[in-house]
Amino acid sequence: MTLAPTYARYPVEFVSGSGCTLRDSEGNEYLDFLAGIAVNNAGHCHPKVVDAIREQAGRLIHVSNLFTTEANVSLAARLVERSFGVNVFFCNSGAEANEAALKLVRKFRPRGEIVVVHGAFHGRTYGALSATPQESKQAPFAPLVPGFRVVPPFAEAIAGAVGEGTAAVLLEPIQGETGVNIVPDEVLLAAREACDAAGAALVFDEVQTGMGRTGSLWAYEQTPVVPDAMTLAKGLGGGLPIGALVMGPKLADVFAPGDHGSTFAGGPVASAAAHAALDVIDDPALLAEVRSLGARLAEGLRRLPGVASVRGRGLMVAAELEREDAPELARRALLEQRLIINATGPSTLRFLPPLIVSPPEIDDALARLAALL
């Protein structure tokens, strides 16, 4: 055994991909409706992303954050221009972005509590795991980082938990890993109002919902709430690892030199890839198509036998099955129908296709799933 047994891997080895298609080592083609878990939003090996990586890798790969590079500085400016942000801290993953956010709000209000909600997932590093109130993930690694307060994702519960001793509320606008559960606008508004009243910060984890996944560049744009900071990763790099913490006016001046850092973060190649991914995704026509195709996928799923309900926004969709056999169904979809989806619970299937998916590919996925159901 050479790989640590931290993943329950399927017996498939992928060797190439393009658009929404992956090919295995035996030459079989698969329709990918998982996109590397919302990473390949621009599709596999998008020509613009590939060209940007090749061009940048041929000039400069790494210099460390003791210096600046044009690709990284301009990427920060681009994220600020397209959001509420003032400045950006770059890192390598969603968990790292959330760790940076936790340090940020703790310095903003020292020793303050961080309010999180049931059903959240913020990562597997210690701080991010401590903000993820799921017993199965936390229990083997206790004791965890202290200072987190867990409440139900209800307006009254969040409002009652936020006070003078609160540093921040950390929320996903749509809870992804626990089954694509949309946090209602009234809950987000309650969090915003409570944080404003208490002088606390509101942080959105947009690691999965960002980069066009919900039909707008950032999910918060479809809500009545603007956070004080947001964390990004997954689709940001077009397939390469990059994360970001975008900070608004309330938090922009909190970090000082030496407060935080990362050796590889925001490197020239990953930054170039992120620029290319934004070129593809930050397009009003494509984002409108994401909303349209998401509705097409959701409606098609509702018509399938054995589907009890469907929820989601844009191309971030979950189907709740009448029976608790979602993991087995996802396995059969892969091995029998060559359709890549995943299960986020006993009865929940999750669909995260590349955002460049076509209507015929949506219909093809539905037909393959129908053959199993």
Side-chain angles (χ1 to χ4, degrees):
M1 181 181 293
T2 55
L3 293 173
T6 53
Y7 296 96
R9 291 183 170 91
Y10 292 108
V12 176
E13 177 189 352
F14 290 119
V15 297
S16 67
S18 58
C20 297
T21 301
L22 280 169
R23 299 168 190 87
D24 70 15
S25 56
E26 297 178 355
N28 300 307
E29 290 194 349
Y30 298 74
L31 183 57
D32 184 5
F33 266 51
L34 186 57
I37 313 181
V39 168
N40 299 104
N41 287 9
H44 291 281
C45 297
H46 192 287
K48 287 187 177 181
V49 176
V50 172
D51 288 347
I53 292 170
R54 284 175 174 158
E55 194 278 333
Q56 182 61 58
R59 289 192 293 114
L60 184 68
I61 294 177
H62 177 75
V63 293
S64 92
N65 280 303
L66 296 176
F67 311 94
T68 60
T69 65
E70 189 283 330
N72 190 229
V73 172
S74 60
L75 178 60
R78 194 169 181 179
L79 293 176
V80 164
E81 181 183 355
R82 281 295 282 112
S83 71
F84 58 86
V86 173
N87 56 23
V88 181
F89 171 82
F90 287 104
C91 52
N92 305 286
S93 69
E96 287 183 58
N98 285 328
E99 292 285 351
L102 297 176
K103 288 181 68 174
L104 177 74
V105 299
R106 276 283 166 78
K107 189 181 181 191
F108 170 68
R109 183 167 278 186
R111 294 177 293 279
E113 278 190 330
I114 298 170
V115 176
V116 295
V117 299
H118 291 291
F121 180 89
H122 298 294
R124 297 179 185 273
T125 50
Y126 248 98
L129 178 66
S130 302
T132 298
Q134 298 182 40
E135 179 69 14
S136 63
K137 292 179 173 63
Q138 289 183 335
F141 307 104
L144 301 173
V145 177
F148 292 90
R149 184 170 182 180
V150 183
V151 299
F154 304 141
E156 299 80 4
I158 293 175
V162 176
E164 292 184 1
T166 304
V169 176
L170 174 61
L171 292 171
E172 300 161 276
I174 302 175
Q175 296 177 336
E177 293 301 311
T178 50
V180 190
N181 297 302
I182 298 174
V183 177
D185 284 351
E186 58 265 27
V187 175
L188 302 179
L189 281 168
R192 177 73 278 173
E193 292 167 2
C195 287
D196 289 343
L202 177 60
V203 180
F204 277 6
D205 177 341
E206 290 234 28
V207 169
Q208 189 169 141
T209 58
M211 285 300 285
R213 177 53 56 186
T214 66
S216 52
L217 191 58
W218 319 119
Y220 82 82
E221 295 177 289
Q222 296 184 57
T223 78
V225 171
V226 177
D228 300 307
M230 68 175 173
T231 55
L232 308 173
K234 288 193 180 289
L236 180 59
L240 290 192
I242 184 171
L245 168 61
V246 179
M247 292 161 276
K250 182 184 286 188
L251 299 171
D253 297 326
V254 173
F255 275 155
D259 279 342
H260 201 42
S262 176
T263 297
F264 294 103
V269 179
S271 295
H275 273 294
L278 279 164
D279 288 343
V280 174
I281 292 168
D282 192 12
D283 173 7
L286 182 139
L287 294 172
E289 190 72 356
V290 168
R291 297 191 292 273
S292 173
L293 291 175
R296 185 188 189 105
L297 174 60
E299 183 57 32
L301 288 170
R302 290 188 184 97
R303 294 194 184 111
L304 293 181
V307 173
S309 62
V310 178
R311 56 186 177 270
R313 184 172 291 162
L315 285 170
M316 185 176 184
V317 179
E320 200 70 30
L321 303 179
E322 294 172 353
R323 297 178 300 177
E324 293 192 349
D325 58 357
E328 174 62 15
L329 194 66
R331 187 193 69 82
R332 290 182 58 208
L334 175 75
L335 300 179
E336 298 176 22
Q337 293 294 323
R338 299 198 176 102
L339 172 67
I340 304 170
I341 56 178
N342 84 320
T344 61
S347 60
T348 307
L349 294 175
R350 179 172 55 172
F351 302 82
L352 301 166
L355 305 186
I356 48 84
V357 67
S358 67
E361 287 170 324
I362 294 279
D363 296 341
D364 187 5
L366 290 167
R368 297 189 197 198
L369 189 58
L372 296 176
L373 290 172

